[in-house]
Amino acid sequence: MARARNVKNCCFTLTPSPLFHILSISPLTSLLFSPNKSPRNYQKIFTPQNFTIFFLSLLLTFAFLGVSILHFLQNRQDPVPCSLISPSSPFSLPSQSSALLTSLSSTNSYNEDDEPGLANSVMLPLQVQAVPGNLSEEEREFWQQPDGGGYKPCLDFSLAYRRKSAKISKEKRKFLVVVASGGLNQQRNQIVDAVVIARILEAALVVPVLQVNLIWEDESEFLDIFDVKHFKRTLQADVRVVSSLPSAHLMSRQSIENKIPYNVSPFWIRARFLKQLNKEGVLVLKGLDSKLSKNLPPDLQKLRCKAAFHALRFAAPILELGNKLARKMWIEGPYIALHLRLEKDVWVRTGCLTGLGLEYDETIARTRESRPEYLTGRLNMSHIQRRHAGLCPFSAAEMARFLKALGAPSSARVYIAGGEPFGGPLALQPLAAEFHNLVNKEILAREGELSPYINRSSALAAIDYVVSLSSNVFVPSHGGNMGRAMQGHRAYVGHRKYITPNKQAMIPFLEDSSISDAEFGSIIRKLHRKSQGQPEPRNNKRGRDVTAHPIPECMCTHKTGVF
C-alpha cells in the first residue's frame, strides 16, 4: 500500500489518522484489498480462529474511527489562524492591524469570489510606534491611543440587499456619469455618493470625471489619483463600474443635472431621475458635493464606508511613495501629523486674518473683494466674530501653543500636511521655533521623487493623506474635508488618535495673557480629554457623515463578524 502523505494548506496540516495505519495491518484490510482468491481458498480464510481475529479487529477499527472523528471535530472548532500578511512584506503589521484584517475577512460577504475582497482592500496604516521611556505624565497621555470601545469594522449587508445585487451588478442599459469638483477629499466625498446614487438608481457607474481645479490648476483624471482596477473589483458585487460610456449611449448634446438641493433622500433621487434615466439611458450629475442625505438606510451607509475605506485606494505610484515617506517618519519613532490650513485660498474663503501682519491681510482682502464668491457662509460676520465662533484656522503660533499644552514634547517629530502656506517660511516660523523636527513631503522625498506631481495638487494631497494615516497622532488646524476623512479612516482602521481643537472654547484662554503656561495646559487637556479619538457614534448627531463617524453603521461590537 502506498505510504500516506501529509496534506498541507496555509492554515493547517492534515496528518493521517492512526486509523489509517490500523486499517493497513488488520485482517479486515486483507479481506477488502487483497488480490482475488480462488474458491478453494475461502474455506481456509474463514476458520473460527480467523473469524475471531476479524471480529476483534473490526471492534478495534471502529473504536479508533470514533476517536479520530472526535479529534477532527475538535480541530475544526479551533483552527490555527492563517497569516494574512505576506512574509515578504517590508514591515510587519501590529496585532491590532492583523486583527483588523481578520475582522474584515469575516464580515458577511455575499460574493466569495470577489477579489481583492474586503480583508485585502482596506488601506492600512503602519503600526503604532511604541513611545520611549522617561516621559512626563502629560507626554505619556499625549501619545496614548484610545481603546476604541471594542468597535471593529462589520459591513454586514442585509439579505434583501444581497439579493438585489445580482441584477444591479450586471446592469448594461442605464449609466450614471458624475463630475466631481474641488480638492482631493471633496472629490472623494462626491465619488462615494456617486456609488450610492448608482446603487439607488440601479445604474452602472461610469468612472467619475474629475473637473479641472481652477484654484490649483490641477488637470488630474481619476486614474491619475486612484486605482481604477481596484475600484471596479471592490465594488463589483454592489454596482457595475465601467471605464466609459458604450458608443450606443453617446449623445451629441447631453443634458447635465446640476441643480440638486441639499439633503436629498433615495426617494427623491428615484422620483427625480429614474424616469429620465430609463428613457435616455444616461444621467449626468454635477455639483453633487454634500447634496445626498447623511441619513440613509443601513445598507447604503455601509456602501458609503465600503467605497470610502476599501474601493478608493490611491494609484500604486502615489501609494508607494506615500508609504515610503511614512516609513521614513515611522522608523525614527512616533510622530505627529499636523494638517495646517494656511493656504491663501483658505484665508480668502474663511474671511479671517492671517496673523502675519497688515501687508498680508491687505493682500487677502483685495483678493476677497475681487472674487466675493470665494467667501463661504455667514457673510454678515466680521473677522472678530468669525474667530470667536471658531470659524478661523489656527495660525502656526496657536497650533504650537495648543500642542505644547496637550503634552507634545518639543523633541516630537511633526509632519506638516497641506499646501504651501501663505507667507512661506514666515508662516511656519512660530511652530518651527517650538518643534525643531518639523518636516514635510518636500523634505522627506529624495530628489526627483515629487517631480511627476508638479502642478498636481490632488496627488500631493494624496501623499499627505497616506503619511498622515500612519501617524501616532493627527491634528487638523481647521477641520475640513481632509480632517473628516482622516477622522473616519483612522477610526475604521483601529482608532488611531485624532485630536480636534475646540477652537471656540479655546479662544478666550488664548487671548488671556494673565494665564500661566501650566494653567493653560491644564485647561486645554481638560477641554480635550474626551475628544481624542474615542468612538463617537454618528446617531448622537444625525447630520454627521458616516465616513467621518462610521459607528454604528459600519463598526460594531457584536461577536459575529468581529475579531
Side-chain angles (χ1 to χ4, degrees), residues 292-306:
L292 186 60
S293 172
K294 300 294 186 292
N295 305 310
L296 298 176
D299 284 324
L300 296 182
Q301 296 287 62
K302 290 178 175 63
L303 181 57
R304 268 178 162 157
C305 291
K306 186 175 181 180

Side-chain angles (χ1 to χ4, degrees), residues 220-429:
S220 298
E221 298 181 8
F222 188 97
L223 56 82
D224 297 321
I225 307 299
F226 303 105
D227 186 332
V228 178
K229 184 177 180 181
H230 177 83
F231 184 72
K232 292 179 179 180
R233 289 164 60 190
T234 304
L235 296 172
Q236 67 182 9
D238 307 275
V239 172
R240 181 172 179 243
V241 182
V242 297
S243 297
S244 59
L245 279 174
S247 57
H249 288 73
L250 293 176
M251 304 170 65
S252 57
R253 295 187 64 184
Q254 179 63 55
S255 60
I256 299 177
E257 300 288 340
N258 57 9
K259 295 182 179 179
I260 305 173
Y262 284 95
N263 199 36
V264 297
S265 66
F267 176 81
W268 189 95
I269 292 288
R270 294 189 191 98
R272 175 66 180 83
F273 297 123
L274 194 54
K275 184 176 180 180
Q276 174 186 347
L277 183 58
N278 287 332
K279 179 181 178 181
E280 299 181 2
V282 179
L283 174 64
V284 181
L285 297 182
K286 188 178 178 182
L288 194 58
D289 191 27
S290 298
K291 299 298 179 66
L292 186 60
S293 172
K294 300 294 186 292
N295 305 310
L296 298 176
D299 284 324
L300 296 182
Q301 296 287 62
K302 290 178 175 63
L303 181 57
R304 268 178 162 157
C305 291
K306 186 175 181 180
F309 304 134
H310 295 270
L312 279 177
R313 188 168 70 185
F314 295 124
I318 292 175
L319 196 57
E320 289 170 6
L321 180 55
N323 281 325
K324 182 179 180 179
L325 301 186
R327 282 192 291 272
K328 284 186 177 182
M329 294 292 297
W330 178 90
I331 201 168
E332 295 190 23
Y335 69 96
I336 306 165
L338 189 59
H339 187 220
L340 287 179
R341 303 298 308 280
L342 303 178
E343 300 93 335
K344 182 177 180 180
D345 73 290
V346 174
W347 294 117
V348 172
R349 290 174 183 276
T350 57
C352 301
L353 298 182
T354 65
L356 299 175
L358 183 61
E359 179 184 352
Y360 292 93
D361 289 337
E362 287 179 347
T363 300
I364 295 298
R366 286 194 297 270
T367 305
R368 192 182 298 130
E369 289 171 1
S370 63
R371 302 296 297 270
E373 70 274 13
Y374 280 176
L375 183 61
T376 55
R378 307 195 187 185
L379 304 180
N380 58 338
M381 296 177 68
S382 68
H383 64 83
I384 296 176
Q385 291 173 320
R386 288 173 177 273
R387 173 172 166 79
H388 283 270
L391 300 176
C392 294
F394 270 166
S395 67
E398 290 167 333
M399 285 304 298
R401 194 176 182 197
F402 176 60
L403 291 176
K404 286 183 63 181
L406 288 173
S410 58
S411 60
R413 306 190 78 223
V414 180
Y415 178 85
I416 301 297
E420 179 68 23
F422 179 62
L426 176 64
L428 297 178
Q429 187 176 358

